[in-house]
Amino acid sequence: MRTAWKIAGKIILLLGGGFIAVFANFAIFGFPFPKEPNLNIFWAALALLVALLGIPLFR
Amino acid sequence: MKGVIVLKRTGICQYLLIVSVLIFSISVQAKEYIEIWPEGWSEVEPLFSTSIYADRFSVEHDDLGTSTSSVDGLYFRELDLTYRLIRNSTIQEEIVLVEKRELDNPVLGLDSQGNRHLVWLERSLGGNSLSYAQISVPYKGHEQTVFLETKNTIQDLAAIQDDSVTHLVWSERDPYFQINYGRLENRELVDVATITDSTDLSVRPNIVLDKEGTPYIIWYETTSVSVQVFYSKKEDNGWSQPFRVGVGSILDIQEGGTIALTARDDQIYAAWAALPRNSNRLFIHLVEIAEGKSSQPIILEPGSRPRFVEGMSDFQLVWQGVGQFGAQIHHGVLREGQIVEKTNLTVGRKMAFRPEVVSQNGFLYIYWLQADPNRGFRLHEINNQFPKTITLWRKIGLDESAPLIHSFFIGVSTFMLSLVYTFMNLGVLIVGGLIFALLQRWDAYKKQPLFYQVLLAAVLLVVISQFPIAVGKPRYFGLIHYALSFFLATLGTYSLMRSVKDKGAFVYAAIFVLWMILFNFFSLLPQNILT
């Protein structure tokens, strides 16, 4: 039971901390407004995926 | 000792219950949504009520103040032509020039002496007429002069003031709708010319003068299959042969749109709304006209009713854009053929339309119409001379009157929404999970540390979610917010799963689901605030 409370507390802390981080981002860079999706994210993620898949093979 | 533990649990439950009741009892004060204010702009001031029947109202500004002309009233045959003088967002003078008539197209111009020149169209059973009046500041009375009377249908009057001379264009049916031009000097219409000679409908003309005072006219010509945009210039021996500069749209004409014109850097620019080939939405089209030739129209932004901002060093436009709750007023700067620094000036869940703009000493004053709860429309004003002070809470999207309560509700509702979006991404989770499981068959990947596994799961999900598998995903709010959400979700998943010793399939499934929930939670925050 104590473990369950600990995990629940951890999740709430995590969500709360992330919540604060996101709003801190709004305070620094201004409130974001919807934009057109950026295709470069896909290419960057794909490049990162290739790199991640490659690392264990060459280690 | 067991009894003590039971009491302690009950104490915690009571405490949570009391806190929840307190929070929810205060919660009614927090707004359901927050109005995100455009930074650097003032409060939106409602000025006066006007009718829904005129396609436009007219606004001009000089050192004596801002003057407007509008047709006001609730019945289209009993409208009042009203002139107003506004200073510091307050109406100083309000004069009804014509009462209870069928009126349209009130156009206001200013001369160098501060006189206001008004022209308008009046319809009656006996015929149609164009009238003129001159008003000084302060108002000392006016005299109405009817300078054109005809049994023909007249519509779409537009005008531009050149000191004491008014250049006019209008569309007159004789027997087909043709574009006419005239010059009003000393209350007399002179130099009248019919520009077009076509069986097509020539409508919605507009006029501009270049720095030499040469008039340029642009209009829509409606054929049976399309709407064309034509242009003509006054030359020494009359008007030039009309030539086509672009394609318009019947949708824009139906909605009362006109073509905006401006003279800038020895060139004429025209902007109008039309449907691009691959869209069924109106987009702003822009052309540059010089030396009798026009450029290819550039398609700018979704919207209609463009207006050029006069008197500013950079090329600025105001237009009626499209937003989540309908028409919105947008302002943007045109640079290298595209709109940059675009700002939505409409605050809250209200539609706004038919913008007009004037510049005053380097500042912008923008006017638009919004529905009036008491019937008709209400004219509103916003400016960037006296910007509204925005508190930090409002800047980050929270209700400044109850920020903590609003944060709590945003947090809870976004968490619930993130569960829904995670369910909608079940396909992505399954595909990602299958690929991940396949990779785990190799020892090279299976033996990697937990952080690698979490990062690999995260990147897999990002890549797969770009394919049309998910039923829905959070809107994109810029690279910084996206990257932050990714980082927080990855770090959060790792920190939660760190204490788990077992590394079986169930644990990896939990990583996928947990990451998706966290990512959706952080990316949905601004979307939840705006809706």
Side-chain angles (χ1 to χ4, degrees):
Chain A
M1 196 62 195
R2 199 172 169 178
T3 316
W5 279 113
K6 267 180 82 176
I7 293 170
K10 225 176 169 181
I11 292 171
I12 289 169
L13 260 172
L14 174 67
L15 289 174
F19 190 88
I20 291 168
V22 168
F23 280 93
N25 165 49
F26 295 168
I28 295 167
F29 296 106
F31 191 89
F33 286 92
K35 295 178 173 63
E36 289 299 315
N38 193 343
L39 262 178
N40 292 333
I41 289 175
F42 170 71
W43 296 116
L46 197 61
L48 183 57
L49 181 65
V50 168
L52 280 174
L53 291 173
I55 290 169
L57 298 177
F58 293 102
R59 271 174 77 177
Chain B
M1 294 313 287
K2 194 179 171 184
V4 172
I5 293 168
V6 167
L7 272 173
K8 203 175 170 188
R9 273 194 208 152
T10 308
I12 290 168
C13 289
Q14 280 178 337
Y15 172 74
L16 284 174
L17 189 63
I18 289 164
V19 167
S20 306
V21 166
L22 275 173
I23 287 173
F24 282 101
S25 64
I26 309 164
S27 66
V28 289
Q29 294 172 16
K31 285 201 188 87
E32 185 192 329
Y33 70 97
I34 189 72
E35 293 175 343
I36 306 297
W37 218 271
E39 201 161 340
W41 293 84
S42 70
E43 287 274 7
V44 177
E45 277 307 323
L47 290 178
F48 56 86
S49 291
T50 185
S51 82
I52 63 173
Y53 298 108
D55 279 343
R56 61 171 298 183
F57 56 93
S58 198
V59 186
E60 291 292 342
H61 172 83
D62 62 9
D63 293 337
L64 297 171
T66 303
S67 291
T68 69
S69 67
S70 60
V71 289
D72 307 336
L74 297 174
Y75 175 46
F76 78 100
R77 287 225 163 101
E78 291 181 2
L79 298 172
D80 298 337
L81 176 66
T82 313
Y83 162 82
R84 291 176 177 89
L85 179 70
I86 301 166
R87 288 194 188 114
N88 301 322
S89 304
T90 311
I91 299 172
Q92 307 282 326
E93 290 178 352
E94 186 172 289
I95 292 111
V96 177
L97 302 170
V98 178
E99 275 187 273
K100 305 279 184 274
R101 301 279 174 81
E102 189 179 342
L103 306 166
D104 205 351
N105 302 145
V107 185
L108 188 69
L110 311 181
D111 65 24
S112 54
Q113 312 300 315
N115 295 312
R116 274 73 173 130
H117 301 260
L118 217 65
V119 290
W120 68 93
L121 163 63
E122 190 172 323
R123 297 187 183 101
S124 65
L125 293 170
N128 305 300
S129 61
L130 296 178
S131 299
Y132 165 86
Q134 183 175 314
I135 299 168
S136 60
V137 177
Y139 176 73
K140 288 177 190 144
H142 73 279
E143 182 195 338
Q144 179 180 345
T145 303
V146 177
F147 60 87
L148 177 71
E149 269 186 296
T150 175
K151 292 224 179 290
N152 296 336
T153 303
I154 307 178
Q155 62 183 50
D156 306 334
L157 174 68
I160 189 164
Q161 199 69 29
D162 182 15
D163 209 7
S164 58
V165 174
T166 311
H167 296 259
L168 304 129
V169 281
W170 66 94
S171 180
E172 186 172 337
R173 190 175 189 176
D174 184 24
Y176 304 103
F177 277 101
Q178 309 291 1
I179 302 298
N180 286 347
Y181 162 85
R183 215 170 58 242
L184 201 58
E185 288 180 26
N186 300 319
R187 296 176 178 264
E188 199 181 320
L189 191 65
V190 298
D191 201 13
V192 180
T194 302
I195 312 298
T196 56
D197 182 21
S198 157
T199 54
D200 297 324
L201 294 171
S202 304
V203 295
R204 308 288 166 148
N206 201 358
I207 184 168
V208 74
L209 305 175
D210 65 11
K211 56 185 183 189
E212 275 93 42
T214 306
Y216 295 73
I217 297 176
I218 199 163
W219 66 93
Y220 285 133
E221 201 139 305
T222 313
T223 69
S224 55
V225 295
S226 67
V227 175
Q228 307 288 324
V229 182
F230 276 87
Y231 152 88
S232 178
K233 170 190 167 184
K234 192 160 197 289
E235 292 168 336
D236 295 331
N237 51 354
W239 287 86
S240 66
Q241 185 67 22
F243 77 88
R244 184 181 161 285
V245 297
V247 176
S249 166
I250 195 73
L251 186 58
D252 185 48
I253 297 175
Q254 282 174 339
E255 291 180 2
T258 53
I259 307 167
L261 270 180
T262 189
R264 194 180 176 93
D265 301 329
D266 297 327
Q267 280 157 347
I268 304 295
Y269 292 88
W272 66 90
L275 300 171
R277 280 216 178 127
N278 54 352
S279 174
N280 58 1
R281 286 198 298 169
L282 287 172
F283 274 70
I284 308 294
H285 287 59
L286 176 81
V287 294
E288 192 180 301
I289 305 168
E291 303 294 325
K293 289 182 224 168
S294 70
S295 64
Q296 269 293 103
I298 305 169
I299 300 172
L300 296 177
E301 291 278 330
S304 58
R305 305 256 185 178
R307 292 286 183 266
F308 291 108
V309 179
E310 304 286 351
M312 302 295 277
S313 54
D314 49 4
F315 207 154
Q316 299 180 33
L317 277 107
V318 166
W319 69 97
Q320 181 179 307
V322 181
Q324 192 178 356
F325 301 106
Q328 292 177 335
I329 305 303
H330 290 171
H331 167 264
V333 177
L334 183 69
R335 258 186 226 133
E336 291 170 7
Q338 55 182 354
I339 295 284
V340 298
E341 299 172 31
K342 183 173 128 184
T343 309
N344 171 23
L345 300 173
T346 324
V347 178
R349 297 173 175 177
K350 298 169 204 139
M351 279 177 54
F353 33 90
R354 302 187 197 172
E356 299 288 346
V357 57
V358 291
S359 62
Q360 306 180 23
N361 307 317
F363 297 105
L364 296 188
Y365 281 72
I366 299 172
Y367 301 84
W368 66 74
L369 300 179
Q370 282 180 281
D372 189 343
N374 300 321
R375 294 163 70 186
F377 290 151
R378 200 154 185 85
L379 192 128
H380 290 72
E381 177 204 274
I382 197 171
N383 66 77
N384 60 1
Q385 187 171 9
F386 305 105
K388 179 185 169 76
T389 313
I390 298 181
T391 61
L392 181 63
W393 292 119
R394 191 176 276 274
K395 188 181 175 187
I396 64 175
L398 294 176
D399 182 356
E400 58 209 352
S401 59
L404 295 180
I405 305 298
H406 191 211
S407 312
F408 178 78
F409 271 100
I410 289 290
V412 170
S413 62
T414 309
F415 182 74
M416 290 193 288
L417 203 59
S418 69
L419 297 177
V420 173
Y421 272 77
T422 303
F423 182 76
M424 285 160 72
N425 279 267
L426 214 55
V428 174
L429 286 168
I430 290 170
V431 172
L434 284 172
I435 295 172
F436 190 87
L438 209 64
L439 289 169
Q440 293 298 306
R441 293 172 77 89
W442 277 278
D443 278 346
Y445 297 110
K446 195 173 180 177
K447 288 179 179 166
Q448 293 303 316
L450 178 65
F451 186 76
Y452 174 90
Q453 306 288 7
V454 171
L455 187 61
L456 181 63
V459 175
L460 260 174
L461 287 173
V462 167
V463 169
I464 295 164
S465 67
Q466 304 299 321
F467 294 99
I469 301 174
V471 176
K473 50 186 181 181
R475 294 189 72 178
Y476 180 70
F477 281 86
L479 185 61
I480 295 174
H481 180 69
Y482 191 93
L484 183 63
S485 304
F486 178 91
F487 172 77
L488 289 170
T490 307
L491 203 64
T493 306
Y494 171 69
S495 71
L496 282 173
M497 301 304 289
R498 225 170 49 164
S499 51
V500 176
K501 293 191 177 35
D502 179 31
K503 294 282 186 289
F506 181 75
V507 170
Y508 292 131
I511 287 174
F512 270 76
V513 173
L514 200 57
W515 188 91
M516 185 63 86
I517 292 173
L518 289 175
F519 179 76
N520 283 333
F521 175 77
F522 296 123
S523 2
L524 282 168
L525 281 170
Q527 182 172 329
N528 203 19
I529 289 171
L530 287 177
T531 52

